[in-house]
């Protein structure tokens, strides 16, 4: 069952939970803000639902709260960092900001990060770059959690990819895994006792299904666009490992530590006004988005929107009326904030 919790209370409670897990005051505050913002934007799967799991990984030694990005090398607009298994959120924020600093000098900036941990909501960093006036692009490689097309066992990560366009009337932001539904989203539907809106994978008998629990059990999530999604996933895996000179999904599988531990992430920032004026670029963006949004809806009373537009409205509603939170997840986070560190992650199986 879902409940509404005021945004400030959400942030404050998560911060207390992360302090109990051993994070510094500064890092607990930063991470709590990102988790709270993600849920406020409607991305519960990678917002509050990830807090118990993150605490487990910190306590289990899979995340080093004191790890910091270290510059390994740089050439012009490109830099390479070792994340030293530090906190995924703070490592990724550092790299997104560094990519923007490089873009201010070179017009484009690219930061390749290796040996880091789960960044939680990937769109956080694309939104950050777009809201700062840059076009942003980022992606990650993960351990295998999705079958390649034609296989019945996990052979590639679902490797989320994000791109953000800095439209002043509201950024257009795509944040997607290479599976029809990310595992976190399956957990959201399962906890709510709901079926998926569209089939999202196969059950253990090989039947296409909209039952999130059955897909979690079989680990046969459906690649986005069937063979196209799994092909894109393996390409993103290889590109991230190559650019960061880090580990591929195969290496992560062999180590078996779980949830992106030791993964690679790429952050690219681009100055949108390198070859055009601000006025003409923004006018082009606004006209294109308006035309897309004016598309005739398939259902009476429906509305077509570009990615990211509904997020802004969801954020506004969350700030006014409270953040939508699964009650079981919320009770876990409250328990952790009060010192009960034995609470188990229920958002995933």
């Amino acid at each position: 069952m879902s409940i509404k919790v005021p945004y400030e209370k959400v942030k404050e409670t998560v911060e207390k939970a992360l302090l109990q897990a051993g994070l510094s005051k500064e890092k607990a505050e930063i991470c709590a803000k990102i988790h709270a913002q993600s849920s406020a934007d409607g991305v519960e799967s990678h917002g509050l639902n990830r807090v118990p799991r993150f605490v487990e990984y910190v306590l289990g030694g899979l995340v080093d709260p004191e790890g910091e990005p270290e510059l390994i090398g740089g050439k012009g607009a490109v830099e390479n960092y070792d994340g030293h298994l530090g906190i995924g959120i703070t490592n990724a924020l550092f790299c997104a900001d560094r990519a923007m600093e490089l873009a201010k000098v070179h017009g484009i900036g690219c930061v390749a990060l290796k040996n880091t941990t789960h960044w939680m909501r990937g769109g956080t960093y694309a939104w950050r770059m777009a809201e700062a006036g840059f076009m942003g692009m980022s992606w990650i490689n993960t351990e295998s959690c999705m079958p390649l097309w034609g296989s019945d066992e996990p052979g590639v990560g679902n490797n989320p990819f994000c791109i953000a366009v800095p439209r002043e009337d509201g950024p257009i932001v795509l944040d997607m895994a290479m599976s029809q539904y990310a595992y976190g989203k399956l957990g959201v539907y399962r906890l709510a006792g709901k079926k998926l809106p569209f089939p999202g994978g196969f059950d253990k008998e090989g039947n296409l299904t909209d039952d999130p629990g059955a897909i979690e059990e079989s680990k046969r999530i459906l690649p986005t666009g069937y063979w196209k999604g799994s092909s894109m996933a393996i390409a993103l895996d290889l590109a991230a490992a190559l650019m960061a000179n880090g580990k591929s999904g195969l290496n992560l599988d062999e180590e078996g530590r779980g949830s992106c531990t030791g993964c690679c992430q790429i952050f690219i920032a681009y100055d949108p006004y390198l070859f055009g004026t601000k006025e003409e670029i923004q006018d082009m963006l606004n006209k294109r988005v308006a035309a897309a949004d004016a598309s005739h809806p398939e259902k009476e009373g429906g509305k077509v929107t570009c990615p990211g537009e509904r997020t802004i409205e969801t954020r506004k509603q969350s700030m006014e009326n409270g953040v939508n939170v699964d009650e079981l997840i919320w009770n876990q986070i409250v328990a952790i904030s009060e010192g009960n560190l034995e609470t188990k992650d229920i958002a995933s199986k």
Side-chain angles (χ1 to χ4, degrees):
M1 184 178 73
S2 294
I3 58 176
K4 297 284 188 181
V5 182
Y7 175 80
E8 289 300 326
K9 184 175 181 180
V10 168
K11 188 170 67 170
E12 176 185 326
T13 305
V14 174
E15 182 177 341
K16 288 180 180 177
L18 298 181
L19 287 170
Q20 290 283 358
L23 272 64
S24 68
K25 173 69 175 175
E26 180 184 9
K27 290 185 177 180
E29 184 176 358
I30 291 171
C31 292
K33 181 179 179 181
I34 297 302
H35 281 289
Q37 285 180 340
S38 296
S39 281
D41 283 0
V43 191
E44 302 168 60
S45 59
H46 292 72
L48 266 65
N49 288 18
R50 290 278 173 161
V51 173
R53 188 190 310 184
F54 173 69
V55 169
E56 283 188 12
Y57 279 117
V58 171
L59 297 178
L62 297 179
V63 175
D64 180 1
E66 298 182 1
E68 299 285 350
E70 177 189 5
L71 180 65
I72 302 301
K75 292 186 178 181
V78 184
E79 290 182 348
N80 179 215
Y81 288 83
D82 186 325
H84 291 293
L85 296 182
I87 297 170
I89 287 176
T90 54
N91 276 358
L93 289 172
F94 171 87
C95 290
D97 289 349
R98 184 59 193 150
M100 289 189 283
E101 289 300 316
L102 289 167
K104 290 175 183 177
V105 177
H106 303 283
I108 189 170
C110 175
V111 173
L113 175 66
K114 64 181 177 181
N115 197 32
T116 190
T117 59
H118 203 304
W119 62 2
M120 302 303 160
R121 177 195 180 192
T124 293
Y125 317 103
W127 274 97
R128 187 178 183 89
M129 288 188 273
E131 289 173 340
F134 292 90
M135 189 181 86
M137 186 182 301
S138 56
W139 73 91
I140 179 175
N141 67 2
T142 78
E143 68 277 2
S144 295
C145 62
M146 178 176 76
L148 287 156
W149 189 251
S151 174
D152 60 1
E153 64 179 4
V156 70
N158 59 356
N159 302 334
F161 173 83
C162 310
I163 186 168
V165 176
R167 177 170 164 264
E168 291 191 335
D169 288 349
I172 301 304
V173 183
L174 172 69
D175 174 6
M176 62 174 286
M178 293 300 117
S179 54
Q180 186 64 37
Y181 297 94
Y183 277 101
K185 182 61 74 173
L186 295 179
V188 169
Y189 278 97
R190 172 175 49 79
L191 288 170
K194 296 180 179 179
K195 298 290 187 180
L196 301 171
F198 302 94
F202 301 89
D203 62 21
K204 293 179 76 173
E205 285 70 46
N207 302 306
L208 194 63
T209 181
D210 60 2
D211 181 344
I215 300 167
E216 289 175 310
E217 186 177 3
S218 71
K219 298 189 182 301
R220 291 186 63 185
I221 50 176
L222 186 67
T224 301
Y226 306 120
W227 52 88
K228 295 181 181 180
S230 68
S231 297
M232 186 71 174
I234 195 71
L236 290 171
D237 179 355
L238 295 171
L242 181 156
M243 294 170 72
N245 191 29
K247 295 170 183 174
S248 73
L250 174 61
N251 301 132
L252 300 181
D253 290 344
E254 291 171 341
E255 292 180 354
R257 291 184 288 182
S259 200
C260 305
T261 305
C263 68
C264 299
Q265 296 165 3
I266 307 298
F267 304 84
I268 299 173
Y270 178 81
D271 179 352
Y273 310 121
L274 279 179
F275 306 113
T277 67
K278 184 175 184 179
E279 291 72 20
E280 64 187 8
I281 294 293
Q282 288 297 321
D283 181 61
M284 177 275 294
L285 295 176
N286 287 334
K287 288 180 178 177
R288 184 66 191 94
V289 171
D293 288 355
S295 299
H296 189 273
E298 63 176 352
K299 296 180 181 179
E300 186 69 29
K303 180 175 174 56
V304 178
T305 59
C306 289
E309 291 188 282
R310 296 185 185 183
T311 300
I312 295 171
E313 179 58 29
T314 301
R315 183 183 303 167
K316 179 175 179 290
Q317 293 296 322
S318 294
M319 296 303 176
E320 292 176 356
N321 305 318
V323 179
N324 194 58
V325 180
D326 183 90
E327 188 173 20
L328 291 175
I329 295 292
W330 179 247
N331 289 339
Q332 281 197 318
I333 295 171
V334 170
I336 295 170
S337 73
E338 294 172 348
N340 179 11
L341 299 180
E342 297 301 317
T343 303
K344 296 297 181 182
D345 171 29
I346 61 171
S348 63
K349 286 189 175 181

